[in-house]
Structure formats: structure tokens, C-alpha cells
Amino acid sequence: MSKWKDKYIIGLTGSIGTGKSVVRRMLEHLGAYGIDADALAHRAIAKGAPGYDAVLKTFGRFLLTPDGQIDRSRLGKIVFNDPDALAALEAIVHPLVNQAVDILIRRSPHKVVVIEAIKLLETNLSAMCDAIWVVYSPPEIQLDRLMQNRHMSEKEARVRINSQVPQESRFNSATVLIKNVGTFEDTWQQVASAWQRTIPSRAES
């Protein structure tokens, strides 16, 4: 049971390029309140945000763009090639994200909340969820999406994919496994069916 007793919390996770955000938007369409924890992580290190100074102190001011923002692309090239650097960044960002998630859930009038987070299972967020939904896509589809949608080079996309835990390692934790390998309609059918099957009636009333 989640820490928010009047809510039903879905933790939504999966590797980069698997289509988590698409599934989150589908769940929002079905009535859930969606939280993008990865977007919150980006905001946490924006200029003036709580993590901004800590990131600069840890990694250096060379990360700054001319307008004083942290260049996330430059930061990404550091942390996704160095597990220790990634851990240092996460130690700064994750507590701030957890605080923001808590505030958003408490303020939401919705009874069902979905938290999309790529590192859901690696943080204490997972223990706060009633259910874990995992989105899967084959590596070749991940690669194509990163190159097409995020305009990454093949080399950069492979580094990002390989920096993450194997997709299969999440399966045993999954309450629901969504295989995002076909059409939009096929994924929607999986999501809608899982919603009807797993969301308790008290959460939908």
C-alpha cells in the first residue's frame, strides 16, 4: 500500500525509448493524474532550483550555457559514461524529485496517480506504489526511437541504452507488463485491459 492512503499509486517504469510517456498519457486518458518524475528531475537542476548549485559544485561551472542554465546534454555525456558520476547526480536529484512528487500527489484530487520514472525501482519511490507497471520494447525499437525522436546519433543512443539496467531485470517486479512493440492501438488495448483488471473499484469512484 502506498504512503498516500486515499490514493492508488501506479509506478510506471521502463528503459529509455520504450514508450513510458505514451503509456502515461493513456493512463491519464483513463482517469489517472500523471507525474513525470524525469521532467521533475530536469526542473530540479534548472537555474534557481534547489539542485542547481549542488550540480555545479560537483561537476563544474563549465556545464553552464551562455544564459546560465546547466547544459543537460553536456552533463549527460559525463554521467552516462561514468557510473560514479551518475550516482553523484542521482544523490542530488532524487531527494528533490521525491519531495516534489509528494507535494503533487497530496494536492491532486484524483484517486489514481501514475508516477513515470526511469529509475523507479532503483529508488524508494517503488516502495510507495500500489502497483508497478513496466513498459518493454526491443533494443532495436529503442534505438530507432532515440535516433528519430530525440535526434541522437547511433553511438549516443547505444551509450544511453547500455548505461541502464537490462530490461528483463524489471520483469519480476512488474504488476503489469506492457509490451510496446506494435501499433498504438495494440498498446492502448493492453493499457485499457490492465486498467480494468487491476485498478480497484474504490479508486475509480
Side-chain angles (χ1 to χ4, degrees):
M1 180 177 291
S2 79
K3 64 179 285 188
W4 303 278
K5 292 183 172 55
D6 60 334
K7 312 284 188 182
Y8 184 85
I9 310 297
I10 298 170
L12 176 65
T13 192
S15 292
I16 190 171
T18 55
K20 297 183 298 302
S21 295
V22 170
V23 173
R24 173 174 51 81
R25 287 191 288 270
M26 289 178 176
L27 289 167
E28 290 172 353
H29 181 75
L30 289 165
Y33 175 69
I35 297 174
D36 184 347
D38 300 323
L40 293 177
H42 296 160
R43 293 177 197 166
I45 64 171
K47 187 176 182 180
Y52 179 82
D53 288 336
V55 168
L56 294 181
K57 183 178 180 180
T58 302
F59 297 99
R61 299 187 67 84
F62 76 95
L63 291 174
L64 291 177
T65 62
D67 63 353
Q69 294 287 354
I70 291 172
D71 187 328
R72 294 208 321 269
S73 176
R74 193 176 298 171
L75 180 60
K77 289 177 181 177
I78 297 171
V79 301
F80 292 114
N81 285 286
D82 184 342
D84 291 336
L86 181 59
L89 177 63
E90 291 173 347
I92 296 168
V93 171
H94 285 168
L96 299 173
V97 170
N98 287 355
Q99 290 174 20
V101 166
D102 182 58
I103 292 170
L104 290 171
I105 291 176
R106 292 184 188 280
R107 289 179 178 174
S108 171
H110 295 68
K111 291 189 175 181
V112 182
V113 177
V114 54
I115 306 170
E116 176 191 344
I118 199 166
K119 286 291 187 80
L120 182 84
L121 297 176
E122 293 87 344
T123 69
N124 61 357
L125 268 180
S126 62
M128 302 177 187
C129 298
D130 294 290
I132 304 296
W133 288 39
V134 174
V135 185
Y136 166 81
S137 290
E140 61 271 18
I141 293 180
Q142 286 180 275
L143 186 67
D144 183 65
R145 287 179 182 148
L146 293 179
M147 294 172 65
Q148 294 291 328
N149 300 337
R150 304 199 191 185
H151 309 293
M152 292 184 185
S153 67
E154 181 176 348
K155 180 180 179 180
E156 184 180 5
R158 289 190 185 280
V159 167
R160 292 291 295 271
I161 291 170
N162 293 334
S163 72
Q164 299 177 4
V165 299
Q167 292 197 68
E168 293 76 12
S169 68
R170 297 184 175 97
F171 291 176
N172 287 340
S173 301
T175 309
V176 172
L177 178 63
I178 301 295
K179 295 183 178 180
N180 188 20
V181 298
T183 64
F184 182 90
E185 290 75 16
D186 176 64
T187 302
W188 166 251
Q189 288 298 325
Q190 292 180 64
V191 171
S193 175
W195 175 279
Q196 293 170 359
R197 190 173 67 251
T198 64
I199 304 300
S201 57
R202 63 172 172 79
E204 294 187 283
S205 60

